[in-house]
Amino acid sequence: MDEFALIETLVRGLPGRPEVIVPAGDDCAVLRPAGDDRDWLFKTDAVVEGVHFTPDAPPEKVGHKALGRCLSDLAAMGGQPFAAVITLGLPASFQPDHVQRVYAGLSDLARRHQVAVVGGETTRSPGGMFLSVALWGWVPRGRAVLRSGARPGDAIFVTGELGGSAEGKHLDFEPRVAEAWWLVNHFDVHAMIDLSDGLASDLRHVLRASGVGAELLKRAIPISRAARRAALRSSAAKPPLVAALTDGEDFELLFTVAARDAVPLLDAWKKAFPGLRLSCIGKILAEPTLVLRDRQGVQPLTLQGYRHFAETPSDPET
Amino acid sequence: MDEFALIETLVRGLPGRPEVIVPAGDDCAVLRPAGDDRDWLFKTDAVVEGVHFTPDAPPEKVGHKALGRCLSDLAAMGGQPFAAVITLGLPASFQPDHVQRVYAGLSDLARRHQVAVVGGETTRSPGGMFLSVALWGWVPRGRAVLRSGARPGDAIFVTGELGGSAEGKHLDFEPRVAEAWWLVNHFDVHAMIDLSDGLASDLRHVLRASGVGAELLKRAIPISRAARRAALRSSAAKPPLVAALTDGEDFELLFTVAARDAVPLLDAWKKAFPGLRLSCIGKILAEPTLVLRDRQGVQPLTLQGYRHFAETPSDPET
């Protein structure tokens, strides 16, 4: 067990209450207070200078990213946002203008998604800026989409294009809240997750939670232009397919539906979201394995996505 | 306007929703979703290594303090806790045992106060450990106690003893959730705040929000033994009264009730909480001024409590 897995175990042993339907471990927690006709979603996340953004990143984009990450997690539950609170850690030498710009970027995104921002604590931070966001949202009672619902035979979909997010998208992605809401209101979505650690890792979260496996179709993986450009620019860069499978911070949705829904979904999606690609990238298997199919046949997929505390990046493959 | 005041102004301009009853600016935000018989409280706060704790602080107490600060804010609204989410920032060299101990301290306090801890994100933090907590709680509909309700003639009370928290209490205080709940269920509490920045500053928050002033009685200010000990130990330390007025992180409650309730409250309190001192320290005035009365008469109180971004401590007085 690595250190990160150990922490996950610790977090799962946290105190509960009878109202907790889904504890820590999915994209959001789900709570059902007595006398309420909704299930409530609760999530926190942080961005840290030197980890999630560089000191020269535009402050508006730092604010955008901090809230956007939480909104992406909320989308992955099929939820609607409600309210957020912010903690901003600032070095002693901070510029008020910088803070104003962080809040402007965060507020713009909040307004677009009808998020009330109802708290903003500010604290000193000797080690550079950080921004922690907690988001509170809801789903109709019993309608949260979990990671654990994938079934053998399901078709696996991803929105958008993957890889190369570090080239820019990681700072100005649009969380897929509207798309997820449309999905859960038009189709029976079995399982969903947002892609934050990279397809290879995030799909494994779904497979583990659902007790299933998957076969991905190599030529169906939607590779971003940013990942292709990075590979052309430097021979040290990941091959584009590896980038699409392992780069973090795509903030796209991965979800599964019954195979019979796959074609109707693709047709309806094209009308609803003509500007956003939707790809069927494979299918769920009963056996707990993860394989990649290409013209030569099927091989195990051992690639890993982003490791939060890894000292070295994962080995490239293919 | 100092930098901190500027940030406060920025935070007050954040996006809202019709369900927001009290936005950022009180101890907690208050929200009233449609179809709900409760008002919900929402709050976030963080502790940062080198600011709120030293690197050698026992990790259990760091976890305790992080949640305790939010619980203290919740108590100041007369609320009951419900659920919390945590973001833990860790240096690359962290020890899993250290994290386990942080969560143990936090979980102990959570269990005592029936807080479900439903999310624990972990992220790298190049600048040292930080721990951000968001807390979600409730009050019966329309019953949140705000800072803005103090009325001329009200008696001003504080729980416990003040000053010298840095000697140890700041890491193991017990948030006054039960006491506040008892208070709002037995008396008509007009205004309440928790003492985090120091009596002189926090009382000013209440006075400004309520549009009133106050007269404090010098000999009624409850001075902690820790503040007296510190003053005896070093002539460079603050005089004990100054410490009680200006030291931060007491995490006691300050509240006001009508003058006619003062004596019944003191009597009932002694029976309900025999181990915790309650002091009537002064009265609310109609004029927006803050004065200190002693045997020589009345003089303006110009002392300030903890300033989050001040380069130098405030000048000692008296």
Side-chain angles (χ1 to χ4, degrees), chain A residues 10-27:
Chain A
L10 288 174
V11 169
R12 292 215 181 92
L14 291 172
R17 284 178 67 107
E19 298 92 340
V20 178
I21 307 294
V22 178
D26 213 304
D27 294 277

Side-chain angles (χ1 to χ4, degrees), chain B residues 267-283:
Chain B
D267 288 345
W269 180 276
K270 271 180 204 150
K271 287 180 195 128
F273 304 104
L276 182 63
R277 188 166 165 185
L278 180 67
S279 308
C280 181
I281 61 168
K283 63 181 178 189

Side-chain angles (χ1 to χ4, degrees), chain A residues 274-318:
Chain A
L276 182 63
R277 190 166 165 183
L278 179 68
S279 308
C280 181
I281 61 168
K283 62 181 177 188
I284 297 292
L285 306 175
E287 313 80 57
T289 171
L290 177 55
V291 296
L292 189 66
R293 176 178 291 276
D294 63 11
R295 275 166 294 184
Q296 277 75 51
V298 156
Q299 54 184 319
L301 180 66
T302 56
L303 286 169
Q304 294 282 348
Y306 178 72
R307 312 283 292 172
H308 297 249
F309 289 92
E311 293 300 313
T312 53
S314 54
D315 296 329
E317 253 188 43
T318 76

Side-chain angles (χ1 to χ4, degrees), chain A residues 34 45 60 62 70 87 123 149 151 162 168 170 175-176 204 260 263 276:
Chain A
D45 206 351
E60 294 87 352
V62 174
C70 281
T87 302
T123 179
R151 302 171 206 168
L162 309 183
H170 78 110
R176 303 303 188 193
R204 279 193 185 87
R260 67 174 175 280
V263 172
L276 182 63

Side-chain angles (χ1 to χ4, degrees), chain B residues 75-232:
Chain B
M77 308 295 287
Q80 287 284 292
F82 186 61
V85 288
I86 316 296
T87 300
L88 178 59
L90 291 168
S93 60
F94 81 95
Q95 297 298 316
D97 168 65
H98 198 85
V99 179
Q100 191 164 17
R101 292 174 60 193
V102 168
Y103 270 104
L106 190 146
S107 296
D108 277 356
L109 184 63
R111 277 192 200 90
R112 275 210 300 289
H113 290 276
Q114 285 93 52
V115 183
V117 182
V118 297
E121 284 297 314
T122 308
T123 180
R124 272 195 298 128
S125 168
M129 191 163 88
F130 72 85
L131 191 51
S132 180
V133 175
L135 182 65
W136 178 24
W138 61 277
V139 287
R141 190 163 177 154
R143 296 280 300 280
V145 182
L146 308 187
R147 297 178 178 181
S148 55
R151 303 172 206 168
D154 277 4
I156 307 169
F157 285 87
V158 289
T159 62
E161 295 173 343
L162 309 182
S165 177
E167 303 280 311
K169 183 184 177 188
H170 77 110
L171 283 176
D172 55 19
F173 64 95
E174 191 65 32
R176 305 301 188 193
V177 179
E179 292 83 355
W181 185 245
W182 178 90
L183 268 175
V184 299
N185 282 287
H186 290 82
F187 288 89
D188 180 12
V189 179
H190 290 177
M192 188 149 57
I193 192 170
D194 79 310
L195 297 182
S196 53
D197 295 344
L199 174 60
S201 283
D202 290 317
L203 174 57
R204 279 193 185 88
H205 295 319
V206 170
L207 301 182
R208 195 166 51 230
S210 301
V212 294
E215 176 183 306
L216 296 182
L217 198 59
K218 188 169 171 178
R219 64 175 166 70
I221 309 290
I223 299 170
S224 73
R225 290 175 64 183
R228 294 189 195 281
R229 268 201 313 269
L232 284 175

Side-chain angles (χ1 to χ4, degrees), chain A residues 15 17 36 43 114 117 121, chain B residues 15 17 36 43 114 117 121:
Chain A
R17 284 178 67 107
D36 211 311
K43 175 68 189 184
Q114 286 91 52
V117 182
E121 284 297 315
Chain B
R17 283 180 67 108
D36 211 312
K43 174 68 189 185
Q114 285 93 52
V117 182
E121 284 297 314

